[in-house]
Amino acid sequence: MILEDMYYGNWRPSEQIKSTDPEPQKVNQKISEHMEMLKNKLSEVDFEQMEVIFDLLNESTSLHSAAAFIHGYRTGALTMIEVFSEEK
């Protein structure tokens, strides 16, 4: 049950997304290829700094995704309240 999973902290919507779109896989492959290329070109220190930047970018993206999810959930809930509170 979703409510029980939410209560126990086991509900992670982002982990339930199973995309059938091949495009993200292609993009991830390109990222891996470019990262390997940079690893071979940059010094170890420079490459580590690049990895830090990517980690921060991932964190920023995650925070934005969470905010977008919360906004969407609230919008859906407000829509339901409006639908069910309309006089018939």
Side-chain angles (χ1 to χ4, degrees):
M1 287 178 61
I2 289 176
L3 291 176
E4 188 174 309
D5 285 344
M6 288 173 78
Y7 177 81
Y8 289 111
N10 298 324
W11 193 58
R12 296 174 186 86
S14 63
E15 293 176 3
Q16 297 172 354
I17 297 171
K18 293 175 178 61
S19 176
T20 57
D21 184 0
E23 199 60 30
Q25 188 175 8
K26 290 177 187 177
V27 170
N28 288 333
Q29 180 61 38
K30 287 180 183 179
I31 290 170
S32 294
E33 290 168 3
H34 284 276
M35 288 292 288
E36 190 62 32
M37 182 183 68
L38 286 172
K39 187 175 185 179
N40 294 328
K41 284 186 173 187
L42 298 174
S43 71
E44 188 174 332
V45 171
D46 288 342
F47 186 74
E48 286 173 3
Q49 289 177 344
M50 179 75 74
E51 287 182 312
V52 168
I53 291 170
F54 277 111
D55 289 343
L56 290 170
L57 181 59
N58 286 335
E59 186 177 345
S60 174
T61 300
S62 179
L63 291 168
H64 178 77
S65 294
F69 173 81
I70 291 166
H71 177 74
Y73 192 90
R74 285 182 176 151
T75 301
L78 289 171
T79 301
M80 295 304 296
I81 290 169
E82 185 176 313
V83 166
F84 288 111
S85 67
E86 285 290 316
E87 289 190 36
K88 297 180 180 182

